[in-house]
């Protein structure tokens, strides 16, 4: 069953990082914006408030399928 989970800011990135890294190993053509580091850099360099970054993670059971 598909489940959408909501995460915010650095804490959100940290919460799903292990699952995110696992997802990255399954992606055939990775781009810079597929990596959690890109979102951390955005927060550290451009965001006025950590609450500007909202991540939505799609899970099937305990397997991460996508991060939006």
């Amino acid at each position: 069953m598909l489940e959408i989970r909501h995460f915010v800011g650095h804490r959100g990135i940290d919460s799903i990082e292990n699952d995110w890294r696992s997802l990255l190993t399954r992606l055939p053509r990775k781009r810079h914006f597929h990596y959690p580091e890109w979102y951390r850099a955005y927060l550290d360099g451009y965001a006025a408030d950590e609450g500007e970054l909202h991540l939505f993670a799609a899970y099937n059971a305990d397997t991460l399928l996508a991060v939006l």
Side-chain angles (χ1 to χ4, degrees):
M1 176 189 237
L2 187 63
E3 177 185 2
I4 304 298
R5 302 177 192 171
H6 178 235
F7 301 92
V8 179
H10 282 290
R11 188 175 299 163
I13 295 169
D14 294 344
S15 295
I16 62 171
E17 185 165 8
N18 288 339
D19 293 340
W20 199 335
R21 297 277 176 210
S22 179
L23 173 61
L24 284 168
T25 65
R26 300 188 311 267
L27 291 179
R29 294 173 39 143
K30 297 169 205 59
R31 302 289 188 262
H32 66 280
F33 49 82
H34 288 132
Y35 290 87
E37 291 86 357
W38 191 88
Y39 296 92
R40 283 195 180 98
Y42 166 78
L43 284 173
D44 294 341
Y46 298 104
D49 181 314
E50 213 172 296
E52 288 183 15
L53 179 69
H54 291 258
L55 301 168
F56 296 90
Y59 280 87
N60 182 12
D62 287 328
T63 301
L64 182 63
L65 302 176
V67 179
L68 308 167

